[in-house]
Amino acid sequence: MCTAFAGPSDARRQRSQPAIRAAADAGVVAMNLSLSGSSVGNAEAGAIDYALFKGALVIASAGNSGAASVGCPACDPDAISVAASDWLDEQAYYTQYGAGLDITAPGGEMYSNTTAEGGIWSSVRGGYAYFQGMSMATSQVTGTAAIVASMTGLTGSELRSRIEGTADDLGAPGYDTEFGPGRLNSYKAVTTHTLVEGPPPPPPPEPDPLAASFTV
């Protein structure tokens, strides 16, 4: 089992500013920022605003410190801030949250006495492994945004409204600072319908040990 956390990095934050502008100029509909810090600078805020002007969503990690405050650049109102939930649809212990939180997505949660399936099956150098953290949660929102855009043609604020408006409400009814509007529902975001899973199929009948079978 592995644990992956996207921590703050000044160097990564500085590189993100021209990257955001370049991605927006390239015509992307959504971009993933699995990084977090304590504040957002003018250059970073300007890049996020530029992306929104170009119709691109900046989707950013709320942070992995467990603090009751949304990290930055997710703290920027023009960005979509993402918190993490565990496999029980409860708040992951490591996720940051608070005022300005925009949505929650599964981030995994693993302990030494549980199976690896508590994490998110993620790509790593050389293959795949189970990970947990905001990098997992944020990328699910970004991927969903890309699929919704490809299926519906929505971009910018309309795409954002579709993703946030189709989330499954968790915690206190309506918006709250622990989950935002709720946990991402990718199926509903794409189709606007709720997936209703029926009961499992009945098991096949037991063979009759007294019945004879012949082949001619």
Side-chain angles (χ1 to χ4, degrees), residues 42 45 57 98 145 147 152 168 205:
N42 291 335
L57 298 181
I147 296 171
T152 66
D168 290 338

Side-chain angles (χ1 to χ4, degrees), residues 72-102:
C72 298
C75 66
D76 190 290
D78 288 334
I80 296 179
S81 56
V82 184
S85 58
D86 62 17
W87 68 90
L88 296 174
D89 255 354
E90 296 175 350
Q91 193 179 57
Y93 74 89
Y94 51 80
T95 188
Q96 288 178 229
Y97 59 97
L101 180 64
D102 294 311

Side-chain angles (χ1 to χ4, degrees), residues 29-59:
V29 295
M31 58 191 82
N32 186 91
L33 274 66
S34 290
L35 43 81
S36 181
S38 59
S39 62
V40 59
N42 291 335
E44 200 168 29
I48 295 171
D49 181 67
Y50 178 77
L52 184 61
F53 171 75
K54 300 283 284 188
L57 298 181
V58 175
I59 302 171

